[in-house]
Amino acid sequence: MHISMVSSSHVPISRYLTLCGHAFWTLLKAPMRAPYNTTSEVTRDMDKGTTYLSQTHYTKEIFITYNFWNATPRLTPMQPNKRLNKGDCDKTPAPDFHRRYHGIVGSLGHLVRMTRPGLAWAYCELSKYVQSPLKNHMLAAEHVLCYFRGTWSETIRYSRDS
């Protein structure tokens, strides 16, 4: 589990964690039972009044798992002027292919929910085809990973001033 928290008070962090969900809060209270993929990194500076939320450790693991650590970053999350459609679906995809696609889309979904709302549209498009993806769906998922490779270390910043 990779979580960093800096705070002089437990109360503001607990408010944030309540918003993230009771299950996440339970994991923090009992880290020995936490699964390996608890992924949020919260850094708080009370003097500056800032809180940073990121998932850099988790995203690095995604890139390593799917062999995209050295990928060339893309400028857009999805290929311009390219639409995925249901007619492209394979009713019986190969198990390894299906597992890889499902894993990539699931990882992107977790990132969208926690720190990357800008990838929501791409995730939504890819998730429509999780049950029966084809090669063009996989290419689109890999394109999203390439885009994300260029912005993987970005964080969400909350401050008193904003």
Side-chain angles (χ1 to χ4, degrees):
M1 178 154 79
H2 182 80
I3 297 175
S4 59
M5 293 187 181
V6 180
S7 175
S8 61
S9 170
H10 185 67
V11 175
I13 290 176
S14 67
R15 277 191 219 133
Y16 164 75
L17 294 174
T18 301
L19 294 174
C20 289
H22 179 71
F24 187 66
W25 175 245
T26 303
L27 292 176
L28 284 179
K29 290 170 80 175
M32 295 307 290
R33 294 178 296 174
Y36 71 94
N37 64 350
T38 303
T39 62
S40 294
E41 301 154 19
V42 179
T43 305
R44 184 151 193 177
D45 185 336
M46 293 301 288
D47 295 332
K48 294 180 182 176
T50 57
T51 301
Y52 294 92
L53 177 62
S54 69
Q55 293 181 292
T56 54
H57 180 75
Y58 178 64
T59 55
K60 183 176 180 180
E61 291 299 317
I62 291 170
F63 295 130
I64 291 170
T65 300
Y66 297 107
N67 298 319
F68 274 81
W69 183 248
N70 294 318
T72 303
R74 306 293 172 124
L75 297 176
T76 59
M78 295 289 279
Q79 295 174 344
N81 303 318
K82 174 114 173 143
R83 298 288 293 185
L84 301 174
N85 62 55
K86 191 173 182 174
D88 296 334
C89 292
D90 183 3
K91 299 302 179 200
T92 56
D96 291 340
F97 181 84
H98 187 256
R99 194 171 14 262
R100 179 177 169 85
Y101 184 80
H102 192 272
I104 290 172
V105 174
S107 298
L108 291 173
H110 186 72
L111 293 169
V112 166
R113 284 188 301 276
M114 295 300 291
T115 60
R116 303 305 299 233
L119 293 176
W121 183 79
Y123 166 71
C124 183
E125 286 296 304
L126 294 172
S127 65
K128 293 176 187 177
Y129 309 101
V130 168
Q131 293 303 316
S132 46
L134 275 179
K135 185 169 174 115
N136 65 333
H137 300 122
M138 181 65 81
L139 291 174
E142 290 174 346
H143 186 91
V144 174
L145 287 178
C146 288
Y147 166 78
F148 189 54
R149 180 63 182 100
T151 61
W152 75 281
S153 61
E154 291 183 2
T155 63
I156 294 178
R157 178 181 180 263
Y158 297 98
S159 70
R160 277 187 240 153
D161 301 332
S162 57

